[in-house]
Amino acid sequence: MPLYLGLDCSTQSLTACVLDIDEHRRDIVFQSSLQFDEALPAYGTRHGVLPHADPSVVRSPPCMWADALDLMMARLARSGLDLDRLAAMSGSAQQHGSVYCCASADRAWRNLDVRQSPGEQLADSLARPVSPVWLDSSTSRECAELTAAVGGSDALAQTTGSRAFERFTGPQIRKVFKTEPAAYASTDRIHLISSFLASLLAGHHAPIDPGDGSGMNLMDLATNEWWPPAVEASAPGLAAKLPPISPSSTIVGTLSAYWQRRHGLPPSRIVAWSGDNPCSLIGTGLVREGNVAISLGTSDTIFGLMREPRVDAGGTGHVFGAPTGEFMGLTCFSNGSLARERVRDAFGLTWRQFSDALGATAPGNDGRILLPWFEPEITPAVAHPGARRYGLDAGDAAGNVRGVVEAQQLALARHSQWMGVDVRTIHATGGAAANRVILQVMADVFGADVYQFDVGNTACLGAALRAFHADVIAAGGSIEWADVVRGMAEPVAATRIRPDPDRHAMYNELMRVHAACESHALGRGGEPGEAIQRFRQRTPSSKSTTS
Ligand code: ADP
Ligand code: XUL
């Protein structure tokens, strides 16, 4: 019976899982994760990215991701699994980041020396030693130039699924072309992190899938082809440097001789990689329209399947391709787990103490709001980092803990209204979804049932399930997506967290306060004092969730 490997190269870590699937049984037989900072300290990353004096410039070394893959394959080789059964593998990667490869890259991938790690052999085949990643927000000028060149934000959003966003790959490529012309000229192929790692495994250039391709501001969502006006407006000669776009179920090739010999692995099928959010859509079982998932990873994201692309007229969210061939709506926040960590660390708390402080404070925080923009924020766009507090003392530990969690959940709820989903059930995933006290705030804010998953990393699970799906298709079979995810990517019924109706009503009121504070902080509205007063009058102070 076949085994399927899923890999997830996220912002801070690399994770792998192996599925053992036959007609009657589906098991996860291997799960492992490594943190880049700890496992590969020589690359000098912090939280997976390179420190930089300018907070808007965020980059990571692609050779580090290659070496992480190598360490993970070594773990897999030592797992005791019968790896001759490994039929196919696929992957998930943080979205938007771009890798600049020289013409020698595929020769380098084919001729890797099995005695050395890949990272130490790839440097010469990269036109730039660093990749901009999704946390980068340094391309506002390039976004404006791209927008103007294609006839405005609406035109760009209608065709590509999103208005111009700083982290999206088209504006990032334009910045490289403008600021590093020599590196751009010596670039033969620009990969996303997903297609770069698939290429490295196959030993030749892999395509980009529509899920990750739609995070570039360059792809026509209706045709899954590059959109010439956007490509031409981004950088000269770019069309020749972009990989082709192929369906997510494409078999890219077989595992190259390097990986086979170095780790004793079989010539398994390599299935096109995708972005972490499209993979997580599968890994949270969202193969039908209706429910949403919230991922509390390094980024916080909210997403759900869409049968037809309904682009956000307000310009907040994105429409991406889904691995099913349909679409997905998504809103992304950069101040996710790292913002929660900032508050936790400011008061020297453990996660346990953080949760206790959250549980011991009254929901609604008496109308006090913390806008947690510790780093530049994506939603709403905030270029100058810094937390904004309304009525909240920066030294009040418990107040700030509740403040960060409530503001994040209120922002997730408000800024996903464009998707038009009446949220009744939420599939919670990502590292912080292990924290049920945070999930109670989520349930109360949304007025929805929240469920957890057995598997911590649903992007990784989704990648493994995509490998399974593509392998069945490649063997001439057919399988419905509902059958792909059955028994694997299902929320655990016993984990259900129910909303409290009174607290939900209170959060509907607090939503107005949050909106007023946000408008004020963005320079679009007056002081929110009146909104806070109105909230306090209407909502008698609530009891803490643990009292
Ligand atoms: P990514 O895949 O984006 O790298 P993960 O989904 O693995 O990130 O999430 C990692 C984050 O999860 C950590 O940065 C940490 O802040 C958060 N986390 C882990 N455990 C808890 C917890 N008990 N409560 C809140 N957050 C947690
Ligand atoms: C989505 C986004 C992040 C990254 C990293 O648009 O930027 O969610 O994919 O997880």
Side-chain angles (χ1 to χ4, degrees), residues 57 82 106 251 253 324 371 390 531 547:
V57 176
D82 175 8
D106 61 346
I251 307 290
T324 58
L371 300 177
Y390 290 88
S547 60

Side-chain angles (χ1 to χ4, degrees), residues 168-340:
F168 276 42
T169 326
Q172 291 288 345
I173 293 172
R174 179 159 182 77
K175 183 182 162 202
V176 171
F177 154 69
K178 283 166 54 183
T179 57
E180 298 174 51
Y184 182 74
S186 60
T187 299
D188 172 66
R189 197 67 59 96
I190 301 174
H191 276 291
L192 291 178
I193 302 169
S194 57
S195 60
F196 168 66
L197 293 173
S199 302
L200 185 58
L201 290 175
H204 57 78
H205 288 291
I208 285 176
D209 92 308
D212 225 10
S214 44
M216 299 173 79
N217 276 144
L218 298 176
M219 193 191 90
D220 184 341
L221 264 184
T223 60
N224 287 346
E225 286 170 5
W226 299 122
W227 186 39
V231 172
E232 285 155 21
S234 293
L238 178 56
K241 297 182 199 280
L242 292 173
I245 302 168
S246 296
S248 307
S249 57
T250 303
I251 307 290
V252 168
T254 51
L255 189 67
S256 80
Y258 171 78
W259 298 98
Q260 291 188 44
R261 291 207 209 107
R262 187 162 162 85
H263 298 296
L265 298 170
S268 321
R269 285 177 165 143
I270 307 293
V271 177
W273 283 41
S274 187
D276 52 359
N277 293 294
C279 287
S280 212
L281 186 80
I282 302 303
T284 52
L286 293 183
V287 296
R288 294 206 177 90
E289 208 168 28
N291 295 340
V292 297
I294 292 181
S295 172
L296 304 177
T298 307
S299 60
D300 283 354
T301 57
I302 176 164
F303 53 85
L305 188 103
M306 273 183 180
R307 296 192 66 83
E308 298 298 331
R310 292 187 305 276
V311 172
D312 174 17
T316 299
H318 317 298
V319 180
F320 291 155
T324 58
E326 298 156 297
F327 303 92
M328 61 186 286
L330 177 139
T331 302
C332 178
F333 300 82
S334 40
N335 285 285
S337 279
L338 299 185
R340 289 182 285 275

Side-chain angles (χ1 to χ4, degrees), residues 13 31 94 160 193 212 314 361 383 405 426 458 483 519-520 532:
S13 57
Q31 285 193 79
Q94 52 167 304
T160 69
I193 302 169
D212 225 10
T361 42
V405 172
I426 299 171
T458 51
D483 289 328
S519 293
H520 176 262
I532 296 175

